[in-house]
Amino acid sequence: MPTDYYSEVLSPPKLMTLERHIVEGERRHPGATGTFTGLLADLSLAAKVVWKEVSKAGLVNILGATDDENVHGEIRKKLDVYANETIYHAMDHGGHLCVMASEESGGLLKIPDQYPKGKYVMLFDPLDGSANIDANITIGTIFSIFRRKSESGDGTIEDLLQPGNQLAAAGYILYGSSTMFVYSTGSGVHGFTLDPSVGEFLLSNENMHIPEKGKEYSVNEGNYNKWDKKVQRVFDYFKEIDPATNRPYSLRYIGTMVADFHRILLYGGFFAYPPDMKNTEGKLRLTYECIPLSFLAEQAGGKAIDGEMRILDKQPMDIHQRTPIYFGSKEDIETVERLLGG
Ligand code: P6P
């Protein structure tokens, strides 16, 4: 057989699956044990199961599901409860985690006694933006993974209340016109698109980067009259003509944080949920939403602040803690910082 047979016929695979990307990424970390690969593989399975239900949410009534039963006689659950249980049961037995926490469950979730306890902890929002489901608007799952601080046994609340600068990995699954798995382990942000015909997440966006400067801002401007003058000034500024484009910034707001994040990851600009007279710490959760997305923003070359400091340097004091947040293009966030500080 000619020596160049393999070089000609067996060219490198065009299909890079999520699992292969994680394995190859782990191999670059000396002493990696493969635990991480197993952990993210379990999570990608959970994502596919959730996607299956989310993708037919609109059909539930057509399929004859009654208020509390579906066509198979199973008790029909609200999708966010279903996603929460699916993710928990996919992750509770692999031996990778010693504790979990979910926004849907309102706090710490033990690993069942019969399963081994691993060296990682995971926090997740099972279905961010679930209020948008009936309108068929994009929703998503957000996750954070830390190494445990406690020595052994069941993980503790201290294992869960770590600042974002200690993250081992974070990411999200976006259930939209296509389903994407986007993650970072600290070496850039990588996006995978689900190919339902093979049931695999395939690499579609390697090393994603937020443009240095954007043309859009993303905020619920209905809160304008509840903001203080400094915050109002930020959005008044971005409504002025931008000399770079000879037009003001456009407002784009989906109302699902992870979907607004994804648009900014691709096109640039910035997202904000400022504090207001009613929500003095803003609305969004530090641990379940802001830390993971801020980690991804920075890994993609952007910035994420609470208006005064870097989100990733904030020490969470409570699992349900809220925080104001501004994240997106580096140059835009630096402008926000200047206007808020001035
Ligand atoms: P508002 C969805 O309920 C959510 O938690 C985030 O995903 C989203 O960014 C925010 O709340 C929307 O809040 O007050 O604008 O409806």
Side-chain angles (χ1 to χ4, degrees):
M1 185 167 303
T3 51
D4 62 356
Y5 174 82
Y6 289 97
S7 60
E8 279 169 17
V9 174
L10 298 181
S11 57
K14 297 279 183 294
L15 298 186
M16 171 63 79
T17 63
L18 172 61
E19 279 69 19
R20 178 166 183 168
H21 195 267
I22 295 162
V23 166
E24 294 188 354
E26 246 205 319
R27 278 191 195 130
R28 287 194 286 273
H29 288 73
T33 60
T35 303
F36 217 57
T37 303
L39 195 164
L40 287 174
D42 289 347
L43 187 56
S44 80
L45 172 64
K48 295 171 202 171
V49 174
V50 171
W51 163 76
K52 193 170 65 68
E53 287 305 304
V54 165
S55 58
K56 66 184 181 190
L59 293 171
V60 163
N61 295 327
I62 300 169
L63 292 177
T66 61
D67 283 350
D68 54 9
E69 278 199 350
N70 64 23
V71 290
H72 311 293
E74 295 148 0
I75 297 295
R76 189 161 70 91
K77 295 187 178 87
K78 277 164 51 74
L79 268 178
D80 42 11
V81 172
Y82 174 82
N84 191 47
E85 293 174 359
T86 299
I87 294 168
Y88 176 75
H89 290 303
M91 306 304 291
D92 68 354
H93 56 280
H96 312 303
L97 300 172
C98 61
V99 68
M100 286 185 256
S102 155
E103 185 181 34
E104 183 63 31
S105 302
L108 188 149
L109 292 169
K110 259 176 66 64
I111 300 298
D113 292 340
Q114 69 268 32
Y115 297 136
K117 309 297 180 286
K119 61 182 179 182
Y120 292 101
V121 308
M122 186 174 92
L123 299 91
F124 62 102
D125 181 353
L127 219 47
D128 175 50
S130 51
N132 283 324
I133 289 175
D134 293 345
N136 200 21
I137 290 171
T138 298
I139 52 181
T141 298
I142 310 173
F143 64 90
S144 305
I145 297 165
F146 293 93
R147 286 172 196 78
R148 71 182 301 167
K149 293 167 68 177
S150 54
E151 282 305 310
S152 59
D154 284 341
T156 64
I157 192 69
E158 287 72 30
D159 286 323
L160 293 165
L161 293 180
Q162 298 187 50
N165 56 36
Q166 298 301 307
L167 272 171
Y172 56 84
I173 298 99
L174 202 62
Y175 311 102
S177 47
S178 61
T179 294
M180 284 195 73
F181 191 111
V182 178
Y183 86 105
S184 175
T185 57
S187 307
V189 177
H190 311 290
F192 298 77
T193 300
L194 180 65
D195 178 344
S197 66
V198 294
E200 287 287 354
F201 283 104
L202 302 179
L203 182 63
S204 51
N205 307 69
E206 189 156 35
N207 285 318
M208 301 176 83
H209 240 79
I210 300 180
E212 281 285 302
K213 184 179 187 302
K215 303 184 181 108
E216 298 170 351
Y217 66 86
S218 185
V219 73
N220 179 346
E221 211 148 25
N223 294 326
Y224 183 90
N225 293 332
K226 295 191 283 184
W227 294 336
D228 71 23
K229 290 278 177 256
K230 278 186 180 176
V231 173
Q232 290 177 339
R233 191 173 60 183
V234 169
F235 296 95
D236 296 343
Y237 173 88
F238 283 97
K239 286 192 185 70
E240 298 301 321
I241 298 294
D242 177 356
T245 59
N246 200 26
R247 55 191 288 275
Y249 273 45
S250 297
L251 169 61
R252 295 284 183 275
Y253 193 68
I254 298 169
T256 298
M257 185 185 194
V258 65
D260 284 314
F261 178 89
H262 191 71
R263 186 195 55 250
I264 287 167
L265 179 58
L266 290 169
Y267 305 148
F270 72 95
F271 171 95
Y273 210 105
D276 60 48
M277 287 185 281
K278 179 168 167 274
N279 300 307
T280 55
E281 286 306 306
K283 171 185 181 183
L284 301 175
R285 307 285 188 180
L286 173 60
T287 55
Y288 299 115
E289 296 163 315
C290 298
I291 282 177
L293 295 182
S294 298
F295 176 72
L296 293 172
E298 291 197 2
Q299 282 294 314
K303 290 189 84 169
I305 59 173
D306 67 357
E308 290 163 6
M309 68 183 289
R310 186 175 173 239
I311 291 280
L312 296 189
D313 290 337
K314 292 184 75 136
Q315 172 57 55
M317 303 311 287
D318 176 279
I319 200 89
H320 307 293
Q321 183 175 340
R322 301 175 194 270
T323 178
I325 184 164
Y326 305 79
F327 63 67
S329 292
K330 185 171 178 296
E331 202 174 307
D332 291 338
I333 295 300
E334 286 168 353
T335 302
V336 169
E337 266 178 318
R338 177 170 51 78
L339 293 167
L340 287 176

